[in-house]
Amino acid sequence: MKSSRLVSILLLLQTRGRMTAAQLAEELEVSVRTVYRDVEALGAAGIPLYGDAGHAGGYRLLDGYRTRLTGLTTGEAEALFLAGAPAAAAQLGLGSVLAAAQLKVRAALPAELRAHADRISGRFHLDAPGWYTDADDTPYLPAVADAVWSGRVLHVRYRRWREPTDVERRLEPYGLVLKAGRWYVVAGPGPRTFRVDQILELATGDEEFSRPGDFDLAAYWAAYQRDFHDRLHRDEAVVRLAPGTTLTGPAGEAVRRHGRTDEDGWIRATVPIESVEHAHAEFLRLGTGIEVLAPDDLRSRIARTVAELAERYGNSRAPGGD
């Protein structure tokens, strides 16, 4: 709607400063001609907005002008309070800041929207970490976050999984990512990804760095995850699944897309696996609901384990039994 778009233009200029018609059009997903008409409408309504021509031109609001209009809809107010992550903010040393910000936003909302926001806070609670994992110990997280904000270089001693395990690294921290309860710092040069809980020692100095202007943290993380999954599942296995037996993740997706049903009702499919060792443990959990046909080393390894289990449980009594 036009009224909503006018509010969006006003808020964009208020928060970002000078913006060209092309930038506004891209942000709002409308034509440049539509932006021209909307800017004229704002000017006619008395908004102190002006435009400069030329390469460095664009639209901007008169210095010092601020609007009290939020433009928040009911859904937007609900989403704002649902998006709160108090645990993550506390880890970053921003717990009290987040609480104060939410209090100010709540106080500024109309009564109806405030009621909706309160309902969201009372009915939904976000808890990102998984059940069977302890919270990571991240004593250096506030220092890493401060370096991200201030653009200062970090010198760390870092523990990685391969030899040599403990290494010295110089990091230019571009941003922090919280994934499933675990913090990662994306740092140059590269950039590369490091687990914050694996930082053993950290030192900061006065050395500053310039974050690449075209670096997009969300886009980098999406590409990093795709590459991670591609590297994670490089091997394959041919399996048969009993009716009612399901696989999860990429293996489950492969079964759904490419599995075919045999005459006995079992589903045959080629599925990606992380490694023979990992697949051995995962497939054993399914018991008699799965048969591995290939590769031979995986099939043989599962057969040996089953034989050992059969011997252990079939030929011996439990310790202390009668």
Side-chain angles (χ1 to χ4, degrees):
M1 296 177 60
K2 181 176 180 179
S3 58
S4 176
R5 197 170 62 246
L6 293 177
V7 171
S8 296
I9 291 176
L10 184 57
L11 293 175
L12 282 170
L13 294 177
Q14 181 170 298
T15 56
R16 300 188 187 181
R18 188 191 306 272
M19 294 184 69
T20 66
Q23 290 171 331
L24 288 168
E26 181 179 3
E27 186 74 28
L28 300 172
E29 298 181 348
V30 297
S31 68
V32 173
R33 185 181 297 274
T34 298
V35 171
Y36 289 151
R37 289 197 297 264
D38 289 346
V39 168
E40 290 180 1
L42 287 171
I47 301 299
L49 178 152
Y50 64 92
D52 294 326
H55 177 72
Y59 294 107
R60 62 176 300 174
L61 295 170
L62 185 67
D63 289 342
Y65 176 81
R66 305 287 294 177
T67 176
R68 295 179 60 86
L69 179 64
T70 65
L72 283 175
T73 66
T74 300
E76 290 167 345
E78 292 174 348
L80 178 63
F81 280 82
L82 181 61
Q91 287 180 306
L92 290 169
L94 298 174
S96 60
V97 177
L98 174 64
Q102 287 186 327
L103 180 62
K104 291 178 181 178
V105 171
R106 183 183 180 279
L109 291 174
E112 180 181 354
L113 295 188
R114 190 182 310 132
H116 282 286
D118 290 342
R119 289 185 63 191
I120 285 290
S121 299
R123 286 165 174 78
F124 295 93
H125 176 70
L126 304 183
D127 185 13
W131 277 106
Y132 303 107
T133 56
D134 295 329
D136 290 334
D137 184 18
T138 55
Y140 295 112
L141 179 61
V144 173
D146 183 67
V148 170
W149 283 116
S150 62
R152 294 189 181 278
V153 171
L154 293 173
H155 294 274
V156 304
R157 188 164 65 89
Y158 184 78
R159 176 160 294 165
R160 58 182 185 176
W161 63 271
R162 64 179 183 271
E163 295 289 344
T165 56
D166 294 1
V167 294
E168 305 288 334
R169 290 288 183 265
R170 175 188 178 276
L171 306 182
E172 298 176 359
Y174 296 165
L176 279 165
V177 175
L178 178 61
K179 171 70 173 180
R182 177 166 290 161
W183 287 98
Y184 298 84
V185 57
V186 179
R192 299 176 63 189
T193 304
F194 301 84
R195 281 175 50 173
V196 176
D197 66 312
Q198 295 303 302
I199 296 177
L200 306 177
E201 296 179 3
L202 178 147
T204 58
D206 296 329
E207 183 183 2
E208 298 182 352
F209 69 92
S210 296
R211 191 173 186 267
D214 59 350
F215 178 75
D216 186 319
L217 182 60
Y220 167 85
W221 187 254
Y224 174 80
Q225 290 187 97
R226 289 193 299 268
D227 181 63
F228 173 80
H229 287 294
D230 289 343
R231 289 184 285 108
L232 192 64
H233 298 94
R234 288 184 172 179
D235 296 327
E236 291 182 337
V238 181
V239 301
R240 295 179 73 238
L241 299 173
T245 301
T246 59
L247 296 175
T248 60
E253 183 66 20
V255 172
R256 287 189 292 272
R257 290 192 175 191
H258 308 297
R260 69 175 190 274
T261 304
D262 291 341
E263 293 181 357
D264 58 1
W266 284 52
I267 298 177
R268 183 188 302 255
T270 299
V271 300
I273 61 173
E274 182 175 337
S275 65
V276 168
E277 292 76 13
H278 184 268
H280 170 261
E282 290 296 308
F283 291 164
L284 276 177
R285 293 190 302 106
L286 300 176
T288 58
I290 187 171
E291 178 186 2
V292 175
L293 304 179
D296 291 339
D297 54 345
L298 176 57
R299 180 180 174 90
S300 299
R301 183 166 181 171
I302 290 178
R304 287 195 302 271
T305 302
V306 171
E308 291 172 4
L309 289 173
E311 181 179 0
R312 180 173 303 165
Y313 287 96
N315 300 331
S316 64
R317 294 181 177 181
D322 296 332

